[in-house]
Amino acid sequence: MTEDANNLSCAEFQARLPELIGSGENLAADPHLRSCELCRALLADLMTIAEAARQLFPIVEPPDRLWEQIESAIRNEEGGSGPR
Ligand SMILES: [Zn+2]
């Protein structure tokens, strides 16, 4: 894996993702997203999962809880086999 030293690391960026999404900011303009295909793909996945989660968990919950569920769903999906 390569990391651009001039940029946020993917881990740092991904840690901020829920916040960025929750804030309703224009993610397309984010400098990291513009330069990082990996995180663009991840964001697309997150949006798909978030959309599915809204349908799976129709009960209104605090966003923090929702993101916990999404994050654990991602971890389950990846199964810890092979870094991406
Ligand atoms: Zn990235």
Side-chain angles (χ1 to χ4, degrees), residues 10 32 36 39:
C10 287
H32 184 90
C36 184
C39 287

Side-chain angles (χ1 to χ4, degrees), residues 47-61:
M47 292 314 230
T48 305
I49 294 167
E51 189 58 40
R54 262 197 289 275
Q55 290 163 21
L56 286 172
F57 306 107
I59 301 160
V60 177
E61 293 189 65

Side-chain angles (χ1 to χ4, degrees), residues 8-11 13-14 32-33 35-40:
L8 282 177
S9 76
C10 287
F13 177 76
Q14 284 164 24
H32 184 90
L33 265 190
S35 63
C36 184
E37 225 173 287
L38 199 82
C39 287
R40 272 206 301 273

Side-chain angles (χ1 to χ4, degrees), residues 11 22 24-28 30 36 38-39 43 48 56 72 74 79:
E25 274 186 46
N26 183 8
L27 286 165
D30 189 282
C36 184
L38 199 82
C39 287
L43 177 65
T48 305
L56 286 172
S72 68
I74 292 167

